Amino acid sequence: LRKNVEDFTGPRERSDLGFITFDITADILNEKSYSKAFGNKNVLIIFDWNVKQLFLYLSAEYSTKNNALNQVVLWDKIMLRGDNPRLFLKDMKSKYFFFDDGNGLKGNRNITLTLSWNVVPNAGILPLVTGSGHVSVPFPDTYETTKSY
Amino acid sequence: GCGPSRGPAMDLFGDLRRMNKRQLYYQVLNFAMIVSSALMIWKGLIVITGSESPIVVVLSGSMEPAFHRGDLLFLTNFHDDPIRAGEIVVFKVEGRDIPIVHRVIKIHEKENGNIKFLTKGDNNEVDDRGLYKEGQNWLEKKDVVGRARGFLPYVGMVTIIMNDYPKFKYALLAVMGAYVLLKRES
C-alpha cells in the first residue's frame, strides 16, 4: 500500500478537513495455493465457494486531543467474486470527506491508513479482516488556503 | 352399495367430536408447551447475545449487493465489543421502531469509552444523517441493537410476507393450530 498526502485542510464549520491522495496496490488472491507468493503483499484472503463478495474500505485511524480514537472511512469498493483480485489504483481521491471532530488533523503526525475488508459469505459468518500493510501519514502544521482538489 | 365418500373436512369434524374433554386438555397443554419452549429459546438467545433482537430481517435494499430484502441477520451486542469503522450495525433511531442495518463509516471515541459514530448504507449515496432524529448528527452505543455477525439469505422472506399479507399470517396460524390440536400421540 502506498499513499501520499497531497493537500491539507481548510477548517469548515470549525472542524478540520483533510485531503489525501493515495495509491493502492493489493493482491487479493484467488487460490489458497498462492497465499504466500508475492512481493508486495497485502492481503491474503481467498475467494472460495462461500464468498459472495468483499467489501473493501480504506480507513484512517488517528488520535487527537479531543478524542482518543478516531476512525474515518475514506474510500470503499465492492469486489464481487469473479472480479479481478488485484488492485492497482493510482492517484485516488478519497470518496468521502475526511472531517475531524474538531481540529485534530492540523499537525497530526500520525494518521494510519489501513485497508480492510468485510467478507460477505453466501451464508454464514461475516468476518472483518485487516490487510497486513498499513502506512502512516503526517498532516502539516498549517492550513492550505487555496485548494486545487 | 357404499355410502357417499367423506372428504377430509368431514373427517376433521368427526375427529373433533370423538375426542373427549381429557384429550382436548392434553392437546392444549401440549400446544402451550411448544409455545413456551419457543419463547424460552428466544429469551435465551436475547440473554446470550446481549441483543434485544438477536435475529433481524433485512427490510430494504440499502445494503445491496451484500444483503437483500428478506435476508436474515444474526446479531450480538456484547457490552465490551468496541464499535469500529467497517462494522455492520443494526440500530434504531430514537422514537422509531424500525431497525436499520448499515455500516459504520466514522467513529470518534473518547478516552473514557464514550463513542459517537456515523453510518451509511453500502448502496446509498449519502450517509445516514438524514435518517437520524432532527438535530442528531451522530449515533451512540445506546442506539445500537447489535452487530451483524452472521447471515442467511432469503429465510426472512416469510416474515416480510406475513407482514405484508396478514391474511396469509392468520391462515398459517390457523393451520398450525389445527395441526397441533389434532395431532395424536399413538
Side-chain angles (χ1 to χ4, degrees):
Chain A
L1 286 170
R2 270 194 326 124
K3 289 125 185 167
N4 313 314
V5 175
E6 279 238 338
D7 265 336
F8 181 69
T9 78
R12 284 202 218 166
E13 299 159 339
R14 291 166 284 136
S15 278
D16 284 357
L17 174 64
F19 293 94
I20 293 193
T21 327
F22 50 91
D23 303 335
I24 297 185
T25 310
D27 289 322
I28 301 177
L29 302 169
N30 254 322
E31 301 293 334
K32 276 188 194 180
S33 54
Y34 299 138
S35 62
K36 303 246 173 136
F38 295 73
N40 244 336
K41 50 295 69 141
N42 277 310
V43 200
L44 319 171
I45 216 213
I46 324 123
F47 271 113
D48 63 24
W49 61 274
N50 194 22
V51 174
K52 182 161 76 173
Q53 68 175 58
L54 298 184
F55 183 91
L56 298 136
Y57 55 99
L58 183 73
S59 57
E61 184 172 317
Y62 58 98
S63 259
T64 63
K65 244 177 26 194
N66 234 352
N67 291 298
L69 174 67
N70 302 276
Q71 288 182 335
V72 180
V73 171
L74 298 179
W75 170 91
D76 55 43
K77 176 180 169 59
I78 294 179
M79 184 184 273
L80 300 171
R81 179 141 147 248
D83 281 354
N84 187 359
R86 305 239 198 120
L87 295 176
F88 288 116
L89 304 164
K90 302 228 157 251
D91 290 333
M92 304 286 298
K93 303 219 161 87
S94 65
K95 237 189 197 184
Y96 307 112
F97 283 124
F98 186 176
F99 268 112
D100 182 34
D101 175 39
N103 297 79
L105 292 182
K106 172 168 153 189
N108 196 323
R109 291 276 163 241
N110 194 5
I111 316 268
T112 310
L113 298 177
T114 318
L115 184 68
S116 315
W117 56 94
N118 192 193
V119 180
V120 182
N122 282 318
I125 312 242
L126 292 156
L128 265 179
V129 182
T130 310
S132 59
H134 58 85
V135 162
S136 257
V137 150
F139 269 121
D141 287 331
T142 55
Y143 292 125
E144 287 264 328
T145 46
T146 62
K147 299 188 304 280
S148 54
Y149 192 72
Chain B
C2 303
S5 60
R6 297 156 50 135
M10 289 302 295
D11 284 342
L12 213 67
F13 290 133
D15 273 348
L16 269 174
R17 268 184 273 127
R18 273 199 295 273
M19 273 199 318
N20 62 26
K21 269 194 184 169
R22 222 197 207 136
Q23 268 179 311
L24 190 61
Y25 291 149
Y26 187 77
Q27 299 288 54
V28 170
L29 272 178
N30 249 352
F31 180 69
M33 228 176 64
I34 294 177
V35 173
S36 312
S37 306
L39 276 174
M40 271 173 58
I41 292 178
W42 181 246
K43 292 290 177 188
L45 266 182
I46 292 182
V47 168
I48 296 177
T49 61
S51 167
E52 69 181 50
S53 184
I55 305 183
V56 294
V57 177
V58 176
L59 296 173
S60 77
S62 55
M63 283 296 279
E64 288 183 17
F67 307 136
H68 297 84
R69 203 168 124 84
D71 290 345
L72 209 63
L73 286 177
F74 299 91
L75 315 179
T76 62
N77 196 24
F78 302 128
H79 179 76
D80 295 330
D81 249 345
I83 299 182
R84 294 291 175 250
E87 293 195 336
I88 300 176
V89 296
V90 178
F91 61 91
K92 281 200 191 159
V93 177
E94 238 175 285
R96 308 235 203 95
D97 233 353
I98 313 176
I100 304 180
V101 185
H102 283 171
R103 197 180 294 274
V104 173
I105 59 169
K106 240 178 169 236
I107 67 162
H108 294 291
E109 183 176 67
K110 306 241 180 228
E111 241 175 54
N112 59 13
N114 263 351
I115 189 168
K116 60 188 190 193
F117 59 98
L118 182 62
T119 57
K120 172 179 165 299
D122 289 349
N123 209 17
N124 291 345
E125 284 296 316
V126 297
D127 61 41
D128 288 347
R129 289 226 162 100
L131 289 176
Y132 300 164
K133 210 169 66 157
E134 177 96 33
Q136 181 188 9
N137 279 328
W138 302 95
L139 287 178
E140 295 168 22
K141 251 195 189 149
K142 65 175 176 52
D143 300 308
V144 173
V145 171
R147 235 136 320 174
R149 295 290 183 212
F151 112 106
L152 278 179
Y154 313 124
V155 176
M157 258 319 203
V158 180
T159 318
I160 293 187
I161 296 179
M162 291 209 297
N163 241 352
D164 291 347
Y165 304 103
K167 293 212 181 113
F168 180 80
K169 177 163 65 175
Y170 298 138
L172 197 65
L173 282 175
V175 167
M176 276 169 48
Y179 172 76
V180 172
L181 282 174
L182 297 173
K183 182 173 108 130
R184 304 287 186 76
E185 324 233 343
S186 48

